[in-house]
Amino acid sequence: MALTDEERKVINNAFEIILKHTQNNKSASESVLRFKDTVFQLIDTCDRGTKEKEQAKKEEAKSTQSKTAQTKDEPLTFKEKFHNFIFGAKPEPVVKETPKPQPPKPEPPKPEVESPAELFRIEPYRGGAMITKYVGFDDKKIVIPKVIDGMHVYALGEGVFRNIESITEIIIPYGVISIGNFCFLGCSSLQKIKLPETLKVIGDSAFCGTQIRTLEIPEFVYYIGSSAFGGLPIEDVVLPKSLYAISVGTFSYCTKLKKITIPQGVARIGSDAFSSCFALSSVSLPTGLKEIEEEAFSRCINLKAIDIPPSVEKIGEKAFAWKNEISDVNRFSYLTTLEFAKWRPTIKCAPGSYAQEYARKYKLPMIKSDIVYGESKLNMPVYVANYGVRSKEKPDMNKLIDNMAYDWALLSYSKMVANHNLCIRSNNPDLKKSNVTFYAGFDIFKN
């Protein structure tokens, strides 16, 4: 803070008084005069520093004026006034920021309440349990328990929920590896289902006749049985990478299905696999695919073109044709006979490929494919005649049963799976029962 004229006058009078008392001592008077000059030089220096600080303060105030315009200055406290008197600077006003409103934290999902264990009948299976029967009454939502009678549930047996029309939603717990044949067949009100990540096998006609519109198949499912999803009103589905074949009629009559991508590793597309998928317009086939069986894409009248990889060695009769049946014409009256006759999909293929020969034989339009197909490792190995299985080396029988067959929940006999062409067939007498050749659920082409 700069000295006023009165303050300078007081200091000057003080030195005059001192000089009067030292006028008889020349050296003392000279010392007082030098001290007086030094003091006033220091005062002038402080005044200049104070002016510079005040100027800097004004400039700083201008730069921060916009920031503090909305903040009302609070009265200075005694401490702040004393600070200003000593250092000649006013502290910046504290800007109180209004806290931003935080979005409410989402509540954690409530755990599903399991259905009572007494509604299920079980049998021992793989050190745990397989559900063999459901005895509930008009239940709409079913949450299958993880544990029943102290045993972990690993499988749903054959036809457990068959034709129970009251069910609209079902949740299958983590740990279940297999859904048996006809498990949800005829559950005409079933719209929502949650499949566990542990699932590996889906049996024949498991969900046929339901109203499931969205379907998420876990990535480790390697077997999907015949007609497993037949007639579902789904528009899109992602198939798992572990899959090695598309079974007979797996997606037949899925009339709203618009596109399908067959994953790498699949070697065969079974007969009628996508037949009568009238909305199907986009199909992507993988490198390494070997067989497309008869009527696999029959009646897919919105499929204008399909790119067939050069690895395909067999295409069945009417794989891309209308299967002319009077019953279907009456059933789907909105499709005219003219539309049936018009449908001839363009075959995109490589020169010299089997697909090119097939297109010429059945007089289908064809163009050269632009896709460059690389090599692909199939999930299905190569055929070995003496065991009736496909592998590059002669399989060890014990490993075959332990690692492959035992993953199949319902080890059916030939009567149940003779037409699947997706099983291990063995004449080993240890695997025979009641003189019926034993079949286990694993991948195999038709011999």
Side-chain angles (χ1 to χ4, degrees):
M1 181 179 289
L3 294 179
T4 63
D5 293 339
E6 292 182 359
E7 290 172 336
R8 285 177 173 271
K9 188 176 180 180
V10 170
I11 295 172
N12 189 55
N13 291 337
F15 278 105
E16 292 296 332
I17 294 172
I18 295 172
L19 287 172
K20 286 181 181 180
H21 290 284
T22 59
Q23 60 185 351
N24 295 329
N25 189 335
K26 185 177 180 181
S27 61
S29 297
E30 292 176 353
S31 298
V32 170
L33 290 173
R34 286 197 297 273
F35 180 66
K36 177 182 176 182
D37 293 338
T38 301
V39 169
F40 276 103
Q41 287 177 2
L42 290 172
I43 290 173
D44 292 338
T45 301
C46 291
D47 286 347
R48 287 195 298 272
T50 302
K51 291 178 180 179
E52 291 174 357
K53 288 182 180 180
E54 290 178 351
Q55 184 64 26
K57 179 183 173 182
K58 290 179 181 179
E59 293 177 358
E60 186 177 358
K62 290 180 181 179
S63 64
T64 59
Q65 185 177 4
S66 60
K67 297 181 180 179
T68 60
Q70 297 178 352
T71 306
K72 185 177 180 180
D73 294 345
E74 298 180 356
L76 298 179
T77 63
F78 175 78
K79 183 177 180 180
E80 291 172 334
K81 292 179 180 178
F82 183 74
H83 183 281
N84 293 350
F85 177 77
I86 297 299
F87 298 102
K90 182 180 178 181
E92 294 183 2
V94 179
V95 179
K96 294 184 178 180
E97 296 183 359
T98 305
K100 296 180 180 180
Q102 297 295 327
K105 294 182 179 180
E107 295 183 2
K110 296 180 180 179
E112 298 286 352
V113 179
E114 294 181 346
S115 300
E118 57 266 21
L119 299 180
F120 303 91
R121 301 292 181 263
I122 61 173
E123 290 181 0
Y125 174 74
R126 296 194 65 175
M130 175 193 293
I131 294 177
T132 58
K133 191 174 182 180
Y134 176 74
V135 294
F137 189 81
D138 289 342
D139 296 306
K140 292 185 177 181
K141 182 176 181 180
I142 297 175
V143 181
I144 297 175
K146 293 182 180 179
V147 178
I148 298 177
D149 294 343
M151 294 187 290
H152 288 276
V153 176
Y154 291 146
L156 305 182
E158 182 174 321
V160 175
F161 300 96
R162 186 170 184 171
N163 294 329
I164 301 179
E165 297 182 356
S166 62
I167 301 175
T168 60
E169 181 180 1
I170 191 159
I171 297 176
I172 302 175
Y174 185 91
V176 171
I177 63 171
S178 176
I179 297 174
N181 300 337
F182 322 115
C183 189
F184 299 97
L185 176 65
C187 296
S188 57
S189 299
L190 181 59
Q191 298 181 4
K192 295 175 63 178
I193 188 164
K194 182 178 180 182
L195 302 177
E197 297 177 0
T198 52
L199 189 65
K200 295 181 180 180
V201 172
I202 298 174
D204 300 342
S205 303
F207 299 99
C208 187
T210 65
Q211 294 300 314
I212 297 173
R213 297 181 180 276
T214 58
L215 185 64
E216 295 183 10
I217 305 175
E219 61 177 325
F220 296 113
V221 171
Y222 64 79
Y223 178 83
I224 300 176
S226 62
S227 302
F229 305 116
L232 265 62
I234 54 175
E235 294 185 4
D236 189 16
V237 64
V238 177
L239 295 176
K241 295 180 181 179
S242 302
L243 204 62
Y244 47 73
I246 309 295
S247 299
V248 175
T250 300
F251 294 96
S252 60
Y253 289 102
C254 291
T255 57
K256 295 185 178 181
L257 183 64
K258 295 181 179 179
K259 62 179 181 179
I260 192 71
T261 298
I262 310 299
Q264 294 290 340
V266 170
R268 182 175 64 86
I269 299 176
S271 60
D272 288 294
F274 298 95
S275 67
S276 303
C277 292
F278 301 124
L280 187 63
S281 60
S282 175
V283 175
S284 177
L285 302 180
T287 303
L289 181 69
K290 298 295 183 183
E291 298 182 23
I292 302 174
E293 293 196 348
E294 58 273 8
E295 302 176 16
F297 295 94
S298 65
R299 311 187 195 117
C300 296
I301 61 172
N302 272 302
L303 185 62
K304 306 303 180 184
I306 185 169
D307 213 308
I308 300 178
S311 59
V312 172
E313 301 171 351
K314 176 185 175 182
I315 302 177
E317 188 179 355
K318 294 184 179 179
F320 307 99
W322 178 261
K323 183 180 178 183
N324 191 11
E325 292 183 359
I326 300 299
S327 60
D328 285 322
V329 174
N330 295 333
R331 181 178 178 185
F332 302 104
S333 57
Y334 56 89
L335 300 172
T336 67
T337 306
L338 182 61
E339 286 176 304
F340 305 157
K342 279 183 177 180
W343 181 58
R344 297 173 63 78
T346 299
I347 304 297
K348 297 181 180 180
C349 55
S353 64
Y354 181 85
Q356 184 184 38
E357 296 178 10
Y358 180 87
R360 286 173 176 168
K361 178 180 179 180
Y362 291 96
K363 298 180 181 180
L364 295 174
M366 64 177 176
I367 59 175
K368 183 179 178 181
S369 173
D370 295 329
I371 298 178
V372 178
Y373 290 93
E375 295 183 0
S376 175
K377 182 179 179 181
L378 295 179
N379 294 336
M380 166 86 74
V382 182
Y383 177 67
V384 175
N386 56 345
Y387 278 97
V389 297
R390 296 176 184 265
S391 77
K392 293 183 178 179
E393 299 177 357
K394 183 177 178 180
D396 179 88
M397 205 60 193
N398 293 326
K399 291 183 179 179
L400 187 69
I401 299 303
D402 291 342
N403 298 337
M404 299 177 185
Y406 205 43
D407 275 340
W408 182 243
L410 299 172
L411 300 181
S412 303
Y413 299 122
S414 58
K415 178 182 177 182
M416 295 295 297
V417 296
N419 297 323
H420 293 181
N421 307 320
L422 288 171
C423 54
I424 294 173
R425 184 172 62 193
S426 172
N427 292 321
N428 188 327
D430 295 334
L431 298 179
K432 287 189 174 183
K433 188 175 183 180
S434 302
N435 296 320
V436 179
T437 302
F438 180 79
Y439 283 71
F442 187 61
D443 46 328
I444 179 103
F445 287 127
K446 184 184 293 185
N447 290 340

